[in-house]
Amino acid sequence: LQCALAIGSLFSWLGEGRGRRSCLLLSVIMVVVIPVLIFQSSSSDSPKSAEGMTNSATSSKRYDLISRRIAGSGVSYETLFSEGSPQNKALLWITAEDPAQLRPDDEFLLARYSLAVFYYATHDDFMFQTTVMNLTTSTEPPEHVDLGDGETLEPPQLQPPPEGEVESFGDDLAGQPNWINEQGWLSGRGYCLWHGVECHHRPGTSVYDTHYDGNNGIILLNMTENNVRGKVPAEVFHINTDLRWVSLSGNGFFGTVPTELSMLTQLRYLSLANNFFTGSLPNSIHKLTDLSRLYVDGNYFQGRLPARLGDLSQLQSFSIYNNLFTGTISPDISKLRNLT
Protein backbone atom coordinates (compact mmCIF):
# COMPACT_ATOMS: atom_id res chain seq x y z
CA LEU A 1 0.00 0.00 0.00
CA GLN A 2 2.81 2.40 0.90
CA CYS A 3 4.51 1.57 -2.37
CA ALA A 4 1.34 2.31 -4.35
CA LEU A 5 0.81 5.65 -2.60
CA ALA A 6 4.38 6.69 -3.26
CA ILE A 7 4.10 5.85 -6.96
CA GLY A 8 0.80 7.73 -7.20
CA SER A 9 2.29 10.85 -5.64
CA LEU A 10 5.28 10.55 -7.93
CA PHE A 11 3.18 10.51 -11.10
CA SER A 12 1.09 13.45 -9.84
CA TRP A 13 4.26 15.47 -9.36
CA LEU A 14 5.51 14.55 -12.79
CA GLY A 15 2.31 15.75 -14.31
CA GLU A 16 3.29 19.31 -13.52
CA GLY A 17 6.43 18.98 -15.75
CA ARG A 18 9.83 19.81 -14.42
CA GLY A 19 12.11 19.33 -17.41
CA ARG A 20 15.25 17.26 -17.58
CA ARG A 21 16.06 17.69 -13.91
CA SER A 22 12.68 16.24 -13.08
CA CYS A 23 13.51 13.21 -15.17
CA LEU A 24 16.82 12.83 -13.37
CA LEU A 25 15.14 13.10 -10.02
CA LEU A 26 12.56 10.56 -11.15
CA SER A 27 15.32 8.12 -12.03
CA VAL A 28 16.87 8.51 -8.58
CA ILE A 29 13.52 7.93 -6.90
CA MET A 30 12.82 4.85 -9.02
CA VAL A 31 16.22 3.37 -8.22
CA VAL A 32 16.43 4.23 -4.50
CA VAL A 33 13.05 5.01 -2.96
CA ILE A 34 10.86 2.31 -4.44
CA PRO A 35 13.21 -0.59 -3.51
CA VAL A 36 13.28 0.73 0.06
CA LEU A 37 9.49 0.82 0.19
CA ILE A 38 9.27 -2.67 -1.23
CA PHE A 39 11.75 -3.91 1.39
CA GLN A 40 9.70 -2.34 4.19
CA SER A 41 6.54 -3.87 2.80
CA SER A 42 8.08 -7.34 2.62
CA SER A 43 9.51 -6.93 6.12
CA SER A 44 5.98 -6.51 7.47
CA ASP A 45 5.31 -10.13 6.43
CA SER A 46 8.11 -11.51 8.63
CA PRO A 47 5.79 -12.42 11.54
CA LYS A 48 4.16 -15.03 9.26
CA SER A 49 7.52 -16.72 8.84
CA ALA A 50 8.07 -16.62 12.59
CA GLU A 51 4.61 -18.08 13.08
CA GLY A 52 5.50 -20.96 10.80
CA MET A 53 8.64 -21.65 12.83
CA THR A 54 6.57 -21.55 16.02
CA ASN A 55 4.09 -24.04 14.57
CA SER A 56 6.97 -26.37 13.74
CA ALA A 57 8.34 -26.14 17.26
CA THR A 58 4.86 -26.66 18.71
CA SER A 59 4.44 -29.79 16.63
CA SER A 60 7.64 -31.23 18.04
CA LYS A 61 6.65 -30.21 21.56
CA ARG A 62 3.24 -31.80 21.07
CA TYR A 63 4.87 -35.11 20.09
CA ASP A 64 7.08 -35.04 23.19
CA LEU A 65 4.19 -34.18 25.52
CA ILE A 66 1.92 -36.89 24.15
CA SER A 67 4.58 -39.61 24.00
CA ARG A 68 5.63 -38.86 27.58
CA ARG A 69 2.05 -38.99 28.77
CA ILE A 70 1.41 -42.33 27.06
CA ALA A 71 4.60 -43.89 28.42
CA GLY A 72 4.11 -42.38 31.87
CA SER A 73 0.59 -43.74 32.14
CA GLY A 74 1.76 -47.28 31.35
CA VAL A 75 -0.51 -47.60 28.31
CA SER A 76 2.53 -48.24 26.07
CA TYR A 77 6.18 -48.69 26.91
CA GLU A 78 8.44 -46.12 25.26
CA THR A 79 10.41 -48.95 23.64
CA LEU A 80 7.31 -49.79 21.58
CA PHE A 81 7.49 -46.48 19.71
CA SER A 82 10.01 -47.88 17.24
CA GLU A 83 9.44 -46.88 13.62
CA GLY A 84 6.74 -48.87 11.88
CA SER A 85 5.21 -50.37 15.03
CA PRO A 86 1.44 -50.02 15.62
CA GLN A 87 2.24 -47.86 18.65
CA ASN A 88 4.47 -45.57 16.59
CA LYS A 89 1.86 -45.25 13.85
CA ALA A 90 -0.84 -44.44 16.40
CA LEU A 91 1.38 -41.87 18.11
CA LEU A 92 2.17 -40.12 14.83
CA TRP A 93 -1.50 -40.17 13.89
CA ILE A 94 -2.81 -38.68 17.11
CA THR A 95 0.02 -36.13 17.19
CA ALA A 96 -0.13 -34.75 13.66
CA GLU A 97 -2.77 -36.45 11.50
CA ASP A 98 -5.83 -36.80 13.73
CA PRO A 99 -8.22 -34.01 12.62
CA ALA A 100 -9.55 -33.80 16.21
CA GLN A 101 -6.14 -32.67 17.56
CA LEU A 102 -6.97 -33.30 21.20
CA ARG A 103 -4.84 -31.45 23.76
CA PRO A 104 -1.98 -33.54 25.19
CA ASP A 105 -3.72 -33.43 28.58
CA ASP A 106 -7.21 -34.23 27.23
CA GLU A 107 -9.13 -36.70 29.36
CA PHE A 108 -9.86 -38.98 26.41
CA LEU A 109 -6.58 -38.81 24.51
CA LEU A 110 -5.29 -42.13 25.89
CA ALA A 111 -8.45 -43.98 24.89
CA ARG A 112 -8.27 -42.49 21.39
CA TYR A 113 -4.61 -43.49 21.12
CA SER A 114 -5.37 -47.04 22.35
CA LEU A 115 -8.06 -47.50 19.71
CA ALA A 116 -5.63 -46.27 17.05
CA VAL A 117 -3.07 -48.87 18.19
CA PHE A 118 -5.76 -51.55 17.91
CA TYR A 119 -6.54 -50.40 14.36
CA TYR A 120 -2.92 -50.39 13.17
CA ALA A 121 -2.14 -53.72 14.89
CA THR A 122 -4.85 -55.45 12.89
CA HIS A 123 -3.73 -54.50 9.39
CA ASP A 124 -0.91 -56.99 8.73
CA ASP A 125 -2.22 -59.67 6.40
CA PHE A 126 1.18 -61.26 5.83
CA MET A 127 1.59 -62.04 9.54
CA PHE A 128 -1.96 -63.41 9.70
CA GLN A 129 -1.47 -65.82 6.80
CA THR A 130 1.91 -67.00 8.15
CA THR A 131 0.44 -67.64 11.60
CA VAL A 132 -2.55 -69.57 10.31
CA MET A 133 -0.32 -71.75 8.14
CA ASN A 134 1.97 -72.53 11.10
CA LEU A 135 -0.98 -73.34 13.35
CA THR A 136 -2.59 -75.75 10.92
CA THR A 137 0.65 -77.62 10.25
CA SER A 138 2.34 -77.73 13.66
CA THR A 139 -0.23 -77.62 16.48
CA GLU A 140 -0.58 -81.03 18.12
CA PRO A 141 -1.96 -82.18 21.47
CA PRO A 142 0.58 -83.20 24.16
CA GLU A 143 1.73 -86.83 24.36
CA HIS A 144 0.42 -87.20 27.92
CA VAL A 145 -1.21 -85.24 30.73
CA ASP A 146 0.66 -84.90 34.02
CA LEU A 147 -1.69 -85.64 36.94
CA GLY A 148 0.94 -85.10 39.64
CA ASP A 149 2.52 -87.66 41.97
CA GLY A 150 4.09 -89.32 38.96
CA GLU A 151 0.76 -90.25 37.38
CA THR A 152 -0.01 -89.52 33.78
CA LEU A 153 -3.04 -89.88 31.58
CA GLU A 154 -3.27 -90.39 27.87
CA PRO A 155 -5.15 -87.47 26.36
CA PRO A 156 -8.32 -88.12 24.41
CA GLN A 157 -7.83 -88.65 20.72
CA LEU A 158 -8.85 -85.40 19.09
CA GLN A 159 -10.64 -85.80 15.81
CA PRO A 160 -8.83 -83.66 13.24
CA PRO A 161 -10.96 -81.40 11.07
CA PRO A 162 -11.55 -82.50 7.49
CA GLU A 163 -8.47 -81.98 5.36
CA GLY A 164 -8.05 -78.36 4.37
CA GLU A 165 -10.98 -77.10 6.48
CA VAL A 166 -8.97 -74.87 8.82
CA GLU A 167 -6.63 -73.76 6.06
CA SER A 168 -9.66 -72.93 3.95
CA PHE A 169 -11.14 -70.87 6.78
CA GLY A 170 -7.90 -68.91 7.07
CA ASP A 171 -7.70 -68.48 3.31
CA ASP A 172 -11.31 -67.32 3.20
CA LEU A 173 -10.61 -64.68 5.83
CA ALA A 174 -7.46 -63.52 4.07
CA GLY A 175 -9.34 -63.29 0.80
CA GLN A 176 -11.89 -60.86 2.22
CA PRO A 177 -11.36 -57.17 2.93
CA ASN A 178 -9.70 -56.53 6.25
CA TRP A 179 -12.16 -54.81 8.54
CA ILE A 180 -15.39 -55.26 6.63
CA ASN A 181 -16.77 -52.24 8.45
CA GLU A 182 -14.36 -49.58 9.71
CA GLN A 183 -16.70 -46.62 9.44
CA GLY A 184 -15.47 -43.64 11.43
CA TRP A 185 -12.19 -45.18 12.53
CA LEU A 186 -9.25 -42.75 12.49
CA SER A 187 -11.50 -39.94 11.32
CA GLY A 188 -11.93 -36.60 13.02
CA ARG A 189 -15.19 -37.76 14.56
CA GLY A 190 -15.46 -38.70 18.20
CA TYR A 191 -14.67 -42.38 18.75
CA CYS A 192 -18.12 -42.97 20.26
CA LEU A 193 -19.33 -42.87 16.64
CA TRP A 194 -16.72 -45.32 15.32
CA HIS A 195 -18.04 -48.70 14.23
CA GLY A 196 -18.30 -51.15 17.12
CA VAL A 197 -17.68 -48.56 19.84
CA GLU A 198 -20.29 -47.35 22.31
CA CYS A 199 -19.90 -44.98 25.25
CA HIS A 200 -21.67 -43.76 28.35
CA HIS A 201 -24.66 -41.63 27.43
CA ARG A 202 -24.21 -37.89 27.76
CA PRO A 203 -25.95 -35.94 30.54
CA GLY A 204 -29.50 -35.08 29.58
CA THR A 205 -29.78 -37.81 26.95
CA SER A 206 -31.37 -41.25 26.92
CA VAL A 207 -29.41 -44.06 28.56
CA TYR A 208 -29.68 -45.82 25.20
CA ASP A 209 -27.94 -42.98 23.37
CA THR A 210 -24.50 -44.61 23.44
CA HIS A 211 -23.42 -44.14 19.80
CA TYR A 212 -22.77 -40.49 18.99
CA ASP A 213 -20.13 -38.09 17.68
CA GLY A 214 -18.01 -37.44 20.74
CA ASN A 215 -15.39 -38.88 23.08
CA ASN A 216 -16.43 -40.35 26.41
CA GLY A 217 -15.97 -43.38 28.64
CA ILE A 218 -16.20 -46.50 26.46
CA ILE A 219 -18.56 -49.25 27.63
CA LEU A 220 -18.66 -51.55 24.59
CA LEU A 221 -16.26 -52.81 21.91
CA ASN A 222 -17.95 -55.09 19.38
CA MET A 223 -15.90 -56.45 16.46
CA THR A 224 -18.00 -59.58 15.96
CA GLU A 225 -17.44 -61.19 12.53
CA ASN A 226 -15.81 -58.09 11.10
CA ASN A 227 -12.85 -59.93 9.56
CA VAL A 228 -10.39 -58.18 11.85
CA ARG A 229 -7.00 -59.92 11.63
CA GLY A 230 -3.96 -59.58 13.86
CA LYS A 231 -2.71 -59.70 17.42
CA VAL A 232 -4.72 -58.02 20.13
CA PRO A 233 -2.48 -55.27 21.53
CA ALA A 234 -2.40 -54.76 25.29
CA GLU A 235 -3.36 -51.11 24.72
CA VAL A 236 -6.94 -52.06 23.84
CA PHE A 237 -7.48 -53.11 27.47
CA HIS A 238 -6.24 -49.71 28.61
CA ILE A 239 -9.19 -47.97 26.92
CA ASN A 240 -10.78 -47.56 30.34
CA THR A 241 -11.58 -49.84 33.25
CA ASP A 242 -15.30 -49.15 32.82
CA LEU A 243 -15.57 -51.31 29.71
CA ARG A 244 -18.57 -53.65 30.17
CA TRP A 245 -18.90 -55.61 26.92
CA VAL A 246 -16.17 -56.95 24.59
CA SER A 247 -16.73 -59.23 21.62
CA LEU A 248 -13.88 -60.17 19.29
CA SER A 249 -15.54 -63.38 18.11
CA GLY A 250 -15.50 -64.71 14.56
CA ASN A 251 -12.39 -62.90 13.35
CA GLY A 252 -8.74 -63.65 12.61
CA PHE A 253 -7.15 -62.75 15.94
CA PHE A 254 -4.10 -64.81 16.84
CA GLY A 255 -1.34 -64.95 19.44
CA THR A 256 -1.83 -64.91 23.20
CA VAL A 257 -4.39 -62.91 25.14
CA PRO A 258 -2.67 -59.99 26.93
CA THR A 259 -2.71 -60.27 30.72
CA GLU A 260 -3.93 -56.66 30.80
CA LEU A 261 -7.37 -58.16 30.18
CA SER A 262 -7.69 -58.46 33.95
CA MET A 263 -7.73 -54.66 34.24
CA LEU A 264 -11.32 -54.61 32.93
CA THR A 265 -12.82 -55.19 36.36
CA GLN A 266 -16.28 -53.97 35.28
CA LEU A 267 -16.46 -56.40 32.35
CA ARG A 268 -19.66 -58.43 32.17
CA TYR A 269 -19.48 -60.00 28.72
CA LEU A 270 -16.37 -61.37 26.98
CA SER A 271 -16.27 -63.39 23.76
CA LEU A 272 -13.01 -64.45 22.12
CA ALA A 273 -14.66 -67.37 20.32
CA ASN A 274 -13.77 -68.64 16.84
CA ASN A 275 -10.36 -67.09 16.32
CA PHE A 276 -6.79 -68.41 16.31
CA PHE A 277 -5.73 -67.56 19.87
CA THR A 278 -2.94 -69.71 21.33
CA GLY A 279 -1.26 -70.10 24.70
CA SER A 280 -3.23 -70.33 27.91
CA LEU A 281 -6.05 -68.26 29.32
CA PRO A 282 -4.53 -65.61 31.61
CA ASN A 283 -4.60 -66.83 35.22
CA SER A 284 -5.53 -63.28 36.23
CA ILE A 285 -8.90 -63.68 34.52
CA HIS A 286 -10.31 -64.53 37.97
CA LYS A 287 -10.21 -60.79 38.74
CA LEU A 288 -13.12 -60.19 36.37
CA THR A 289 -15.61 -60.88 39.15
CA ASP A 290 -18.54 -59.14 37.40
CA LEU A 291 -18.27 -61.40 34.36
CA SER A 292 -21.54 -63.20 33.53
CA ARG A 293 -20.75 -64.45 30.01
CA LEU A 294 -17.40 -65.95 28.92
CA TYR A 295 -16.88 -67.58 25.52
CA VAL A 296 -13.45 -68.79 24.37
CA ASP A 297 -14.50 -71.79 22.23
CA GLY A 298 -13.05 -72.47 18.79
CA ASN A 299 -9.44 -71.46 19.37
CA TYR A 300 -6.05 -73.09 20.04
CA PHE A 301 -5.84 -72.44 23.77
CA GLN A 302 -3.65 -74.98 25.60
CA GLY A 303 -2.71 -76.06 29.09
CA ARG A 304 -4.79 -76.06 32.24
CA LEU A 305 -7.76 -73.87 32.90
CA PRO A 306 -7.07 -71.01 35.34
CA ALA A 307 -7.11 -72.37 38.87
CA ARG A 308 -9.34 -69.68 40.35
CA LEU A 309 -12.22 -69.72 37.89
CA GLY A 310 -14.45 -70.20 40.93
CA ASP A 311 -13.91 -66.54 41.76
CA LEU A 312 -16.13 -65.66 38.79
CA SER A 313 -19.18 -66.05 40.99
CA GLN A 314 -21.48 -64.12 38.62
CA LEU A 315 -20.72 -66.40 35.65
CA GLN A 316 -23.92 -67.72 34.04
CA SER A 317 -22.62 -68.98 30.69
CA PHE A 318 -19.16 -70.45 30.00
CA SER A 319 -18.00 -72.07 26.74
CA ILE A 320 -14.53 -73.58 26.18
CA TYR A 321 -15.05 -76.40 23.67
CA ASN A 322 -12.87 -76.93 20.57
CA ASN A 323 -9.57 -76.01 22.17
CA LEU A 324 -6.48 -77.91 23.33
CA PHE A 325 -6.92 -77.63 27.09
CA THR A 326 -5.37 -80.41 29.16
CA GLY A 327 -5.11 -81.38 32.81
CA THR A 328 -7.69 -81.71 35.54
CA ILE A 329 -10.40 -79.20 36.30
CA SER A 330 -9.95 -77.45 39.63
CA PRO A 331 -12.59 -78.25 42.26
CA ASP A 332 -12.85 -74.50 42.63
CA ILE A 333 -15.15 -74.50 39.62
CA SER A 334 -17.90 -75.90 41.84
CA LYS A 335 -18.34 -72.36 43.18
CA LEU A 336 -19.92 -71.34 39.90
CA ARG A 337 -23.46 -71.90 41.13
CA ASN A 338 -25.07 -69.51 38.61
CA LEU A 339 -24.05 -71.49 35.52
CA THR A 340 -27.03 -72.45 33.39
Side-chain angles (χ1 to χ4, degrees), residues 69-77 80-81 87 110-111 113-114 117 234-236 238-239 260:
R69 183 182 176 197
I70 293 171
S73 67
V75 174
S76 291
Y77 295 111
L80 295 176
F81 294 148
Q87 291 78 8
L110 294 179
Y113 162 79
S114 297
V117 174
E235 285 82 0
V236 75
H238 283 273
I239 288 176
E260 285 80 1

Side-chain angles (χ1 to χ4, degrees), residues 160-272:
E163 185 176 355
E165 182 178 297
V166 179
E167 289 89 342
S168 176
F169 174 57
D171 290 341
D172 288 345
L173 278 177
Q176 299 174 19
N178 200 359
W179 282 67
I180 296 172
N181 188 342
E182 55 182 47
Q183 184 175 4
W185 281 77
L186 301 197
S187 70
R189 294 179 176 274
Y191 55 65
C192 298
L193 196 61
W194 296 2
H195 170 73
V197 179
E198 295 186 23
C199 302
H200 286 293
H201 71 96
R202 295 166 292 187
T205 65
S206 167
V207 294
Y208 301 106
D209 183 17
T210 56
H211 196 57
Y212 51 85
D213 188 2
N215 298 310
N216 206 343
I218 300 173
I219 58 174
L220 176 147
L221 179 64
N222 183 10
M223 290 288 119
T224 303
E225 296 183 355
N226 198 32
N227 201 31
V228 181
R229 306 189 289 264
K231 290 186 176 182
V232 177
E235 285 82 0
V236 75
F237 299 130
H238 283 273
I239 288 176
N240 68 300
T241 57
D242 211 23
L243 202 57
R244 312 292 178 84
W245 206 96
V246 174
S247 177
L248 305 180
S249 63
N251 287 287
F253 290 109
F254 57 87
T256 58
V257 177
T259 57
E260 285 80 1
L261 171 66
S262 63
M263 297 174 58
L264 305 181
T265 54
Q266 303 297 314
L267 200 61
R268 297 172 184 173
Y269 180 102
L270 174 64
S271 179
L272 306 177

